[in-house]
Amino acid sequence: MLRKSIIAAAAALVAGGAAAQEPVRIGLVLPMSGPFASTGRQVEAAVRLYMQENGSTVAGRKIEVILKDDGNVADATRRLAQELVVNDKVAVLAGFGLTPLALATAPIATQAKVPQIVMAAGTSVITERSPFIVRTSFTLPQKSVAMAEWAAKNGIKKVVTVVTDFAPGHDAEKWFKEAFTKAGGQVAAELRVPIANPDFAPFLQRARDAQPDAIFNFVPSGQGSIFIKQFVERGLDKSGIRLIATGDLTDDDILNGYGDAALGIVTAGHYSAAHPSAKNKAYVEAFKKANPGMRPNFMSVGGYDGMHLIYEALKKTGGKTDGQALIDAMKGMAFESPRGPISIDPETRDIIQNIYIRRVEKQGGELYNIEFATIASMKDPEKAAKK
Ligand code: DHB
């Protein structure tokens, strides 16, 4: 009997020792190729920067990131997530550059009880698709409601919306209209532009024909350049019609390439490379140093803060990787991000953050989104409305 328990104790020790040496693996699934590769590059760069600054050991456990490129194909995202869970035994799935990619993975997170940290996608419904999803990016309703309320208070009465025709665009269109009409404004037309190889020209012509005070736009990260080019080609920048948008349009990654036509565009967004805080100044400097030629954009902070959430959750669990324990540790967590103060809503696992109203201005020869008003600690309006 005694001998048996000694053997059992020794076996437990060996097992425990082996477990302590196993790294905590994070499966990072991103579009590193294809039309949205810029999102993948930004999130990956921020994840690596966080680890460079904070080390790769947490609560006595080594952290290992396994990066997979889904090429913006949802079937690939699902397959890669499945393989990461089954073969690599990842403790956490992270990344997810676009809504369809995040949605495709949700059933795997639920079945495997593995936390899925959504670092980039922004459709409201995503967090409701699995109790194991936590979001560090943003929601389109947050930005669109903030933009609508500002527009209604600033002399804009009639708007045409021009959004990309997929889930986050539908969220932007719906929540802009809801908030704008509630505040007394009118949406004269709602135009949707296909996501693949977009040609905005015919939609911009229709928008112009309706003679609105402003066009409200949402495009996914990376597609702003072509929108601005066609906006200028049609002379809309000189038409007296104002351009307002979610911050996705004036993406810090590509804004400098827009030229002076972008000056004065007002957007609502959660992150600006010009956000005036010590934390952000240090972030931008370190990001640029580690990634020559790149400027951090609103996608990058989802990666950076997502890593912080994982590190802090592991500290709370003492290095244990039980999925439910990690999710419980993440609920309600609050900290300062380069974007400003953020927290994870303990009820919805969605992000609560400031949304800033910004104007494109030139500073030191570069174009920036300069924040001039703040809607503090905004919850996702769609979830708030459901309650
Ligand atoms: C989504 C993708 C984007 O590139 C963006 O800017 C906003 C939302 C998405 O797919 O959810």
Side-chain angles (χ1 to χ4, degrees):
M1 194 59 206
L2 183 65
R3 228 170 118 188
K4 250 193 182 162
S5 59
I6 288 171
I7 290 167
L13 244 161
V14 170
Q21 281 158 18
E22 274 288 295
V24 176
R25 296 192 184 89
I26 300 170
L28 185 62
V29 192
L30 289 166
M32 300 305 298
S33 59
F36 299 101
S38 62
T39 296
R41 274 200 305 275
Q42 284 276 340
V43 173
E44 189 208 353
V47 164
R48 304 250 182 248
L49 177 62
Y50 186 87
M51 294 183 73
Q52 184 192 313
E53 291 175 344
N54 295 278
S56 53
T57 306
V58 183
R61 308 277 312 259
K62 188 107 187 103
I63 307 292
E64 188 183 305
V65 168
I66 305 175
L67 175 67
K68 299 284 180 188
D69 172 17
D70 62 22
N72 183 39
V73 176
D75 284 344
T77 319
R78 187 190 302 113
R79 177 178 52 76
L80 290 166
Q82 180 84 35
E83 287 171 5
L84 284 162
V85 166
V86 174
N87 301 342
D88 300 297
K89 312 267 184 297
V90 297
V92 177
L93 290 164
F96 311 103
L98 290 97
T99 292
L101 313 177
L103 293 179
T105 307
I108 292 169
T110 305
Q111 269 168 26
K113 298 187 166 43
V114 167
Q116 179 186 351
I117 314 302
V118 175
M119 295 173 157
T123 304
S124 175
V125 77
I126 292 171
T127 45
E128 291 166 39
R129 291 294 174 84
S130 170
F132 286 88
I133 292 179
V134 175
R135 172 156 39 203
T136 56
S137 48
F138 53 85
T139 81
L140 266 306
Q142 284 177 329
K143 300 192 258 196
S144 308
V145 166
M147 192 69 265
E149 289 177 351
W150 183 86
K153 282 195 206 115
N154 285 274
I156 297 172
K157 295 191 170 64
K158 184 171 153 187
V159 167
V160 172
T161 61
V162 180
V163 305
T164 300
D165 191 5
F166 77 133
H170 303 163
D171 264 10
E173 177 190 270
K174 176 179 171 204
W175 285 92
F176 180 88
K177 185 180 188 178
E178 172 115 354
F180 192 56
T181 50
K182 198 169 152 199
Q186 180 210 348
V187 172
E190 294 161 276
L191 309 179
R192 296 179 173 186
V193 185
I195 187 169
N197 309 311
D199 178 11
F200 296 99
F203 299 95
L204 288 170
Q205 189 56 49
R206 279 176 62 194
R208 183 178 198 155
D209 291 345
Q211 296 186 300
D213 299 316
I215 290 173
F216 167 73
N217 167 259
F218 162 78
V219 282
S221 184
Q223 287 193 349
S225 310
I226 171 92
F227 181 89
I228 294 293
K229 183 169 171 280
Q230 296 188 313
F231 190 85
V232 173
E233 274 170 7
R234 305 205 78 74
L236 274 152
D237 56 329
K238 301 196 171 66
S239 68
I241 298 172
R242 294 165 77 179
L243 179 55
I244 57 175
T246 62
D248 308 61
L249 177 66
T250 55
D251 183 336
D252 281 303
D253 199 14
I254 51 177
L255 178 60
N256 264 320
Y258 291 8
D260 289 354
L263 290 170
I265 299 174
V266 174
T267 60
H270 62 284
Y271 177 70
S272 165
H275 178 66
S277 71
K279 177 116 192 155
N280 187 49
K281 280 201 177 75
Y283 176 68
V284 173
E285 204 170 292
F287 188 101
K288 283 182 167 175
K289 192 166 168 222
N291 305 279
M294 272 171 88
R295 189 164 71 168
N297 75 355
F298 67 97
M299 290 300 193
S300 76
V301 288
Y304 194 76
D305 296 333
M307 285 306 284
H308 186 69
L309 200 65
I310 296 167
Y311 271 45
E312 292 305 306
L314 281 167
K315 285 181 196 169
K316 274 199 187 172
T317 63
K320 283 208 212 60
T321 54
D322 172 71
Q324 190 59 56
L326 287 175
I327 290 289
D328 289 344
M330 290 174 188
K331 286 181 183 174
M333 210 177 263
F335 55 94
E336 191 195 352
S337 154
R339 66 186 108 175
I342 65 171
S343 67
I344 300 300
D345 187 334
E347 286 172 37
T348 64
R349 292 160 278 99
D350 215 337
I351 188 160
I352 300 175
Q353 62 188 336
N354 295 346
I355 297 296
Y356 306 92
I357 309 296
R358 314 92 52 83
R359 188 178 287 110
V360 177
E361 292 176 21
K362 206 177 241 176
Q363 285 194 355
E366 286 190 50
L367 295 178
Y368 282 102
N369 294 291
I370 304 299
E371 297 166 351
F372 63 89
T374 304
I375 298 93
S377 305
M378 197 174 190
K379 291 192 183 193
D380 174 38
E382 180 153 316
K383 292 184 186 77
K386 275 181 191 158
K387 276 179 129 189

